[in-house]
Amino acid sequence: MKLTAITKRVTDIASKDFIATQANYDTLEQLAQAIRIRQLQKYDLLPDRKLGTNGVIFEGDSGVGKSVMIEALLNHQGITKIDSLDDYRYSQDYHDQQHHYYKLPASLSYQEIEKQLIKAYELGVVVIFDEINTRLNEGLEKIISNLLTGHYHQEQSSFDLHQRFTPTKGFMLIGSINSARDKGRTSISPAIQHRSNIIKAKPLREYQVADFEKIIVNWLEQSSIQEQQRSTQPEGYLGHQDSLGHPF
């Protein structure tokens, strides 16, 4: 992917799950700027910046759509999703230096999260870590702090000794957190905050009528498109299609 591919306007983002509106343009632009920094790192255009120093903490109220906003932006900027890191190193996409992101499953243990984060660092993959502040322990926090400051040692490798290699540039951690004022939520630790860009999503109560109208129109249009696609599928195939969720 060429460097110029990261210059797409965030105002153009529209998918079946998300559409950019006036209310979230500023938030999207801040996220896009962080992605541009990651791109410059990958192509050695920020030589004085260490490999891992590209973290984002994305804070917002529950229900504002933090995860779908992040994924919609990444896809719009040409960074596509992969479902597993295990075989990625041996894929053609990796050798062609394509750009991908990986979303940490919520069911992973602390040990497995640590392993996947180190592997993503080595492979130069963007990682989405939902509700990061609720899933940290002291050891995992230390690992993340080290990766976000570019401190990596071969003995930390997630690969076997004979498979170890120099990490690929491009690692980026995007951790979402619910607002600290939400009941039962805790703030992210200062150590990780100091190593990350803090970006806040505008709460739904600050959206205007025009924003909600745009969201609803997009949902109706996408629903219509999906229904047309479903109607053209062979009988028996429909059971495999995911339903389109409600815009709210």
Side-chain angles (χ1 to χ4, degrees):
M1 182 172 66
K2 294 181 180 179
L3 185 61
T4 52
I6 287 293
T7 61
K8 295 181 179 179
R9 296 188 306 173
V10 298
T11 54
D12 297 334
I13 299 175
S15 68
K16 71 181 183 68
D17 297 316
F18 178 81
I19 187 168
T21 72
Q22 188 71 42
N24 53 42
Y25 287 163
D26 288 345
T27 300
L28 288 167
E29 184 54 46
Q30 290 179 64
L31 289 168
Q33 182 61 29
I35 293 172
R36 293 185 189 106
I37 291 173
R38 179 253 182 192
Q39 188 77 337
L40 292 171
Q41 284 181 291
K42 189 170 181 66
Y43 289 103
D44 290 324
L45 298 177
L46 291 176
D48 296 329
R49 189 161 181 150
K50 290 186 178 180
L51 182 63
T53 52
N54 200 4
V56 169
I57 299 301
F58 188 30
E59 180 181 346
D61 293 347
S62 299
V64 76
K66 296 184 293 295
S67 293
V68 294
M69 191 182 301
I70 293 168
E71 292 197 64
L73 176 64
L74 289 171
N75 282 300
H76 182 258
Q77 301 287 13
I79 303 174
T80 55
K81 186 176 184 179
I82 53 175
D83 295 321
S84 173
L85 295 174
D86 293 339
D87 299 319
Y88 179 64
R89 183 187 172 192
Y90 306 101
S91 69
Q92 191 61 45
D93 282 343
Y94 174 74
H95 290 287
D96 289 345
Q97 294 191 359
Q98 298 300 308
H99 297 254
H100 294 93
Y101 72 90
Y102 173 70
K103 188 173 182 179
L104 285 171
S107 59
L108 294 184
S109 66
Y110 287 123
Q111 292 78 12
E112 194 62 28
I113 292 173
E114 177 181 323
K115 179 180 178 181
Q116 294 299 306
L117 285 173
I118 293 174
K119 186 172 291 188
Y121 180 93
E122 294 174 311
L123 296 170
V125 171
V126 178
V127 175
I128 299 175
F129 194 162
D130 280 340
E131 297 197 33
I132 185 173
N133 55 324
T134 67
R135 300 169 64 190
L136 293 179
N137 61 14
E138 185 175 348
L140 191 55
E141 184 175 302
K142 183 177 180 180
I143 288 291
I144 291 174
S145 296
N146 285 341
L147 295 181
L148 291 179
T149 49
H151 294 158
Y152 167 88
H153 303 286
Q154 282 285 320
E155 59 268 20
Q156 292 179 301
S157 177
S158 58
F159 293 95
D160 294 334
L161 181 62
H162 69 283
Q163 296 177 311
R164 293 180 183 175
F165 63 104
T166 301
T168 303
K169 294 184 178 182
F171 173 74
M172 180 179 185
L173 177 64
I174 304 176
S176 72
I177 63 173
N178 288 336
S179 297
R181 64 175 176 271
D182 286 359
K183 187 175 181 180
R185 305 294 177 180
T186 57
S187 299
I188 202 72
S189 71
I192 294 179
Q193 285 190 50
H194 295 160
R195 293 163 173 80
S196 305
N197 296 308
I198 310 296
I199 299 174
K200 296 186 178 183
K202 181 176 289 189
L204 289 176
R205 64 178 179 275
E206 295 184 18
Y207 278 48
Q208 303 298 313
V209 171
D211 297 307
F212 290 115
E213 287 179 344
K214 188 173 182 180
I215 292 170
I216 292 171
V217 168
N218 180 68
W219 180 74
L220 291 172
E221 290 177 348
Q222 295 296 332
S223 295
S224 176
I225 292 171
Q226 189 177 59
E227 185 59 35
Q228 291 175 14
Q229 293 173 339
R230 286 169 62 88
S231 67
T232 61
Q233 296 296 339
E235 186 176 354
Y237 182 79
L238 298 182
H240 298 286
Q241 302 301 297
D242 294 330
S243 62
L244 181 66
H246 193 280
F248 308 116

